[in-house]
Amino acid sequence: MVKLRQYVPRLAAGAYILNSGLSKRGADDATAQGIHGMAAGTYSFLEDVEPKQFTKALSTAEIALGTALVVPFVPTGLVALGLGVFSAGLVGMYLKTPGMTREDGVRPTEQGTGLAKDVFLLGIAGGLLVDSLTRGK
């Protein structure tokens, strides 16, 4: 049973991710190339994946994760792990992409602010995971 204290951050993160996935669903070639280029620039194993295929897979993953977060019958520990893996990848992209952080390698530049917000998703994942592991303690 999902507790209200768990469902509020789940709903916020889930709605955001679900919208992101739905927005990418019919991406044109230029959009797909931009999304793929950003990801492949950080994670080189993605270089060989065709941009439209990558964007469709990303869209599907975001829709699945967003839906799992929003529906209350998916266990919180499970969605916390999914959100943690997903947001860690996004934070990694933020930290590794040139021009996203200031000289200290952490604080965002103006261009990096859009990606830096993914730290909040990682924080939500951590909070949900801790809450699900310490339930009743």
Side-chain angles (χ1 to χ4, degrees), residues 18-30:
L18 181 58
N19 180 63
S20 179
L22 291 171
S23 297
K24 289 179 182 77
R25 201 57 172 159
D28 60 22
D29 287 338

Side-chain angles (χ1 to χ4, degrees), residues 71-82:
V71 297
F73 54 82
V74 179
T76 295
L78 183 61
V79 296
L81 286 174

Side-chain angles (χ1 to χ4, degrees), residues 2-114:
V2 174
K3 305 284 187 220
L4 183 60
R5 70 176 179 264
Q6 297 169 335
Y7 192 65
V8 171
R10 282 180 63 160
L11 184 60
Y16 182 84
I17 293 168
L18 181 58
N19 180 63
S20 179
L22 291 171
S23 297
K24 289 179 182 77
R25 201 57 172 159
D28 60 22
D29 287 338
T31 302
Q33 287 177 357
I35 292 169
H36 176 261
M38 183 101 173
T42 302
Y43 299 112
S44 59
F45 65 90
L46 296 173
E47 289 174 358
D48 294 333
V49 179
E50 194 271 323
K52 288 279 273 191
Q53 180 185 3
F54 171 77
T55 303
K56 185 172 182 179
L58 177 60
S59 169
T60 301
E62 287 179 335
I63 291 168
L65 178 59
T67 300
L69 283 157
V70 169
V71 297
F73 54 82
V74 179
T76 295
L78 183 61
V79 296
L81 286 174
L83 179 59
V85 169
F86 180 73
S87 58
L90 294 172
V91 170
M93 191 164 57
Y94 159 70
L95 292 172
K96 294 177 182 180
T97 301
M100 296 295 120
T101 61
R102 297 181 189 270
E103 297 79 28
D104 61 13
V106 177
R107 293 179 304 134
T109 61
E110 212 172 295
Q111 300 90 333
T113 301

